[in-house]
């Protein structure tokens, strides 16, 4: 596990700011369900076998919510350090230039792009990771593939879009 102190200060500050998850539970479940629908039956079986948390019912949609639940949960071994893995603050200039530079935007792989690479390696059964590790990797991936398709989670603005004030359904929210 990465040392808390090794995380750059800006990332640390961002992770301590209460983040409303812009994609929300419905968005993540939809991504998980779409993925579930296109699994081949042998993969579907492996997914069901991998998930040790019975509340997922062996399905990607319920498992997709886990990464948000544990990122700030007291006592969770994943608390706080995993929060910066949900987004990437690209320092590009949309409208003029669009780019992702891993060194600039994802130091030490601590961003959603680095996390997807990391957990894909851990999930791949060719790489010899144990079942617990692969279970956790799949939970993270099911969530991060949702986050990376949320456009505001992949730009360096307003904390992944979480600080944008809007009125929705007559109610002020972020
Ligand atoms: C990679 O996964 C391990 C195990 O969860 C974790 O300790 C490490 O911080 C992860 N690194 C990145 C960049 O996601």
């Amino acid at each position: 596990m990465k040392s808390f102190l090794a995380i750059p200060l800006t990332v640390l500050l961002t992770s301590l700011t209460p983040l409303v998850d812009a994609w929300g539970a419905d968005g993540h479940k939809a991504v998980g369900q779409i993925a579930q629908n296109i699994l081949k039956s042998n993969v579907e079986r492996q997914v069901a076998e991998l998930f040790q948390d019975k509340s997922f019912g062996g399905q990607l949609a319920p498992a997709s919510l886990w990464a948000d639940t544990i990122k700030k949960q007291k006592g969770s071994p994943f608390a706080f350090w995993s929060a910066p893995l949900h987004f990437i603050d690209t320092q590009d200039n949309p409208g003029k230039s669009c780019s992702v530079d891993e060194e600039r935007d994802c130091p030490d792989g601590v961003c959603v792009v680095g996390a997807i690479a990391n957990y894909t390696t851990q999930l791949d059964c060719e790489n010899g990771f144990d079942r617990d590790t692969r279970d956790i990797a799949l939970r993270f991936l099911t969530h991060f593939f949702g986050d990376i398709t949320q456009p505001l989670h992949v730009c360096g603005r307003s904390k992944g879009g979480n600080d944008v004030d809007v009125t929705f359904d007559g109610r002020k929210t972020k």
Side-chain angles (χ1 to χ4, degrees):
M1 194 181 294
K2 190 165 290 298
S3 153
F4 203 51
L5 292 173
I7 300 172
L9 188 62
T10 47
V11 174
L12 181 64
L13 290 175
T14 309
S15 73
L16 293 176
T17 308
L19 293 179
V20 180
D21 188 49
W23 231 201
D26 288 343
H28 280 289
K29 280 196 281 190
V31 171
Q33 189 58 54
I34 290 165
Q36 185 78 37
N37 291 350
I38 58 175
L39 292 181
K40 295 195 172 127
S41 58
N42 64 323
V43 179
E44 201 173 4
R45 233 177 0 258
Q46 289 180 48
V47 167
E49 276 168 22
L50 210 50
F51 285 144
Q52 306 205 12
D53 189 326
K54 298 286 175 267
S55 67
F56 302 158
Q59 302 273 312
L60 294 171
S64 72
L65 305 180
W66 174 85
D68 269 342
T69 312
I70 48 81
K71 75 180 174 191
K72 279 177 263 143
Q73 194 175 66
K74 261 203 178 135
S76 158
F78 305 97
F80 306 110
W81 67 266
S82 72
L85 303 180
H86 291 243
F87 57 89
I88 181 169
D89 280 345
T90 54
Q91 303 303 310
D92 58 349
N93 191 6
K96 295 207 164 69
S97 72
C98 267
S99 65
V100 174
D101 180 322
E102 283 192 58
E103 256 172 56
R104 180 192 64 189
D105 304 326
C106 191
D108 300 325
V110 181
C111 75
V112 70
V113 176
I116 287 175
N118 188 27
Y119 290 112
T120 300
T121 303
Q122 293 177 29
L123 180 62
D124 187 340
C125 52
E126 308 259 296
N127 293 331
F129 286 92
D130 62 27
R131 183 186 156 165
D132 285 1
T133 305
R134 297 181 62 232
D135 169 12
I136 298 298
L138 184 56
R139 298 180 196 199
F140 272 131
L141 285 172
T142 305
H143 185 87
F144 293 150
F145 276 109
D147 280 338
I148 204 170
T149 54
Q150 160 35 312
L152 294 172
H153 275 8
V154 292
C155 69
R157 291 189 173 73
S158 312
K159 298 201 182 76
N162 286 300
D163 274 358
V164 179
D165 293 311
V166 293
T167 304
F168 179 72
D169 217 6
R171 190 168 56 85
K172 279 196 187 315
T173 182
K174 302 260 182 196

